[in-house]
């Protein structure tokens, strides 16, 4: 049987390959199906005529349409249901963390029943990465090399179920030996979500000698210098975390501790990226951005929380935050190089010069 999987684009994470669909494809291949994944995120402006031509070439008996927007899924079904009536509309995120639930829906559809018992992570085959053109996605390590995501936890009933570290390491070994991948992304959940699990996972990575590099999300307030050393020893090349006004403005000591941890991570060769949450009141945004600019991060992005998502103002606020952050970084570099007094004076002269030019 031939089965086509159409992955729809999303608003936020199109840089990720559709790993959930790759898990589904692996299950189908186990059942001796011939599978193709067509990812519309690689060509979001392309028309459905192109998809129709590609489907006509492949000639599937069944089609799966997967995405995160029910309206987009409904529209996609309307484009092809007359030609391919056997369609499974599937609500699924790209990251792979919901592969267990998506696979249960798939098997129920294949077996013609309403529901099936949920699978455990131990039963799932590794995702069919050979069906994805990994190099065509924007997922890159800090040095520019191609990354691939690896699931470290399943999201079930709004809770995280962490995969056994040995199982993750078996998948990593397969990636290294069979696919030649050397850079990985553990995108969710945060690596620091469970202390004992993380100890075991890092120990296994260190003892496996994979010669890989990886990136993960962490909670900055759960890190210590000894943990950062352990991360680096296990191959961590980048960490990402969130900065919010509630965590940054709590106290001067918490801000200083964050600066020390970020500086120590960089000393260990770990790239640091923060997502700064911009939240009301508007007056706090400039202060939050100014504080973030003093942390010595390698990179930063800005995200508006839901209450600020108001039409065109979202992009305007993000542009303002980015400009303010770059100005703050320049000011901090002058202070670091020349000291607070002279650095501050040079910054003031720079501001006045730019104002005169305008």
């Amino acid at each position: 049987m031939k089965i086509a999987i159409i992955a729809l684009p999303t608003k936020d994470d199109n840089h990720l390959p559709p790993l959930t669909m790759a898990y589904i494809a692996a299950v189908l291949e186990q059942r001796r199906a011939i599978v193709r994944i067509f990812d519309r995120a690689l060509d979001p402006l392309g028309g459905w005529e192109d998809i129709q031509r590609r489907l006509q070439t492949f000639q599937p008996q069944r089609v799966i349409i997967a995405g995160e927007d029910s309206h987009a899924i409904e529209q996609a079904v309307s484009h092809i249901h007359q030609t391919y009536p056997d369609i499974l509309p599937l609500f699924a995120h790209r990251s792979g963390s919901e592969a267990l639930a998506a696979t249960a829906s798939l098997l129920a559809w294949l077996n013609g029943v309403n529901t099936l018992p949920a699978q455990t992570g131990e039963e799932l085959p590794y995702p069919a990465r050979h069906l994805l053109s990994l190099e065509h996605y924007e997922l890159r390590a800090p040095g520019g090399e191609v990354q691939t995501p690896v699931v470290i936890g399943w999201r079930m009933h709004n809770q995280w179920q962490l995969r056994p570290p040995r199982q993750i390491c078996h998948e990593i070994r397969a990636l290294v030996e069979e696919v030649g991948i050397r850079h990985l992304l553990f995108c969710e959940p945060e690596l620091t979500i469970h202390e004992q699990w993380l100890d075991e996972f890092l120990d296994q990575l260190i003892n496996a000698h994979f010669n890989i590099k990886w990136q993960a999300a962490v909670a900055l307030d759960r890190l210590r210098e000894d943990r950062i050393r352990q991360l680096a020893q296990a191959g961590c090349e980048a960490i990402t975390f969130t900065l919010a006004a509630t965590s940054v403005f709590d106290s001067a000591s918490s801000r200083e501790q964050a600066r020390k941890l970020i500086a120590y991570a960089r000393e260990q060769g770990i790239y640091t990226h923060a997502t700064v949450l911009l939240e009301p009141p508007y007056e706090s945004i400039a202060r939050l951005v100014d504080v973030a600019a003093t942390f010595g991060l390698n990179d930063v992005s800005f995200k508006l929380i839901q209450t600020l998502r108001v039409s065109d103002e979202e992009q305007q606020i993000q542009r303002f935050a980015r400009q303010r952050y770059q100005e703050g970084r320049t000011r901090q570099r002058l202070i670091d190089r020349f000291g607070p007094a002279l650095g501050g004076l040079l910054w003031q002269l720079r501001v006045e010069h730019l104002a005169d030019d305008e």
Side-chain angles (χ1 to χ4, degrees):
M1 176 184 293
K2 291 184 178 181
I3 300 178
I5 301 176
I6 300 175
L8 301 179
T10 65
K11 182 177 180 181
D12 297 322
D13 58 0
N14 291 318
H15 64 290
L16 289 174
L19 201 62
T20 300
M21 282 51 100
Y23 272 106
I24 288 174
V27 172
L28 292 170
E29 288 189 330
Q30 272 194 342
R31 294 186 162 216
R32 301 185 181 279
I34 301 172
V35 187
R36 294 290 182 274
I37 298 176
F38 303 97
D39 188 3
R40 295 216 66 204
L42 294 177
D43 185 21
L45 300 179
W48 278 97
E49 295 80 7
D50 178 60
I51 294 292
Q52 288 273 21
R53 285 193 295 269
R54 296 167 70 183
L55 290 175
Q56 189 174 8
T57 300
F58 181 49
Q59 301 237 326
Q61 281 83 39
R62 289 182 162 186
V63 176
I64 300 169
I65 297 178
E68 300 178 20
D69 185 308
S70 57
H71 180 63
I73 294 173
E74 183 180 342
Q75 283 188 321
V77 169
S78 69
H79 281 290
I80 66 170
H81 80 281
Q82 290 185 342
T83 309
Y84 306 98
D86 199 349
I87 298 176
L88 171 65
L90 190 62
F91 188 86
H93 294 279
R94 300 173 73 89
S95 67
S97 61
E98 296 178 337
L100 285 180
T103 303
S105 298
L106 166 77
L107 294 176
W109 178 59
L110 290 175
N111 295 329
V113 298
N114 290 329
T115 58
L116 279 177
Q119 287 190 309
T120 66
E122 297 276 352
E123 299 167 347
L124 271 186
Y126 300 147
R129 285 183 176 82
H130 59 279
L131 296 178
L132 302 173
S133 301
L134 295 176
E135 67 279 2
H136 291 161
Y137 295 90
E138 297 177 9
L139 198 58
R140 294 291 185 272
E145 298 87 352
V146 173
Q147 277 182 331
T148 189
V150 172
V151 171
I152 61 172
W154 312 112
R155 191 160 182 81
M156 301 291 293
H157 309 297
N158 293 322
Q159 292 186 333
W160 286 106
Q161 173 189 332
L162 294 171
R163 295 175 67 191
R166 57 173 178 77
Q167 187 188 61
I168 303 172
C169 287
H170 288 161
E171 181 174 353
I172 292 173
R173 188 176 300 281
L175 281 171
V176 171
E177 295 178 353
E178 299 172 16
V179 188
I181 293 292
R182 295 290 175 179
H183 295 268
L184 309 176
L185 172 67
F186 307 133
C187 52
E188 57 181 359
E190 291 175 337
L191 204 64
T192 49
I193 193 173
H194 193 291
E195 195 83 6
Q196 184 177 350
W197 176 90
L198 181 56
D199 279 330
E200 182 183 351
F201 182 46
L202 293 178
D203 284 343
Q204 291 209 19
L205 284 176
I206 292 170
N207 294 328
H209 304 290
F210 286 133
N211 190 28
I212 59 165
K213 296 293 183 180
W214 49 269
Q215 175 179 336
V218 299
L220 193 61
D221 59 359
R222 293 193 177 187
L223 289 183
R224 312 174 304 271
E225 289 191 357
D226 60 335
R227 176 66 84 196
I228 292 174
R229 286 196 301 273
Q230 191 182 19
L231 291 174
Q233 188 181 359
C236 178
E237 64 179 337
I239 54 174
T240 64
F241 47 88
T242 298
L243 290 177
T246 51
S247 61
V248 173
F249 295 152
D250 278 348
S251 67
S253 61
S254 65
R255 292 195 296 274
E256 186 57 29
Q257 178 65 12
R259 290 189 186 97
K260 287 182 178 179
L261 290 173
I262 291 168
Y264 191 75
R266 295 187 64 177
E267 288 176 15
Q268 296 296 311
I270 297 176
Y271 187 92
T272 57
H273 175 277
T275 298
V276 179
L277 296 181
L278 304 178
E279 51 191 336
Y282 284 84
E283 297 77 24
S284 71
I285 292 177
R287 185 182 172 205
L288 175 61
V289 172
D290 287 344
V291 172
T294 69
F295 281 0
L297 296 159
N298 291 106
D299 191 24
V300 65
S301 57
F302 299 96
K303 182 178 181 181
L304 277 68
I305 65 172
Q306 193 65 34
T307 54
L308 285 178
R309 294 187 181 279
V310 281
S311 63
D312 295 337
E313 287 190 25
E314 179 177 353
Q315 291 186 352
Q316 185 178 346
I317 293 171
Q318 286 179 327
R319 283 196 298 270
F320 160 76
R322 171 61 64 179
Q323 181 180 356
R324 182 92 180 209
Y325 179 80
Q326 295 299 345
E327 292 171 354
R329 284 294 300 273
T330 302
R331 179 176 182 271
Q332 188 63 37
R333 290 191 191 102
L334 291 172
I335 291 174
D336 291 343
R337 183 175 180 182
F338 299 106
L342 182 55
L345 179 59
L346 290 171
W347 169 250
Q348 188 61 38
L349 291 172
R350 176 188 173 88
V351 171
E352 292 174 359
H353 175 72
L354 290 175
D356 289 342
D357 286 347
E358 291 177 357

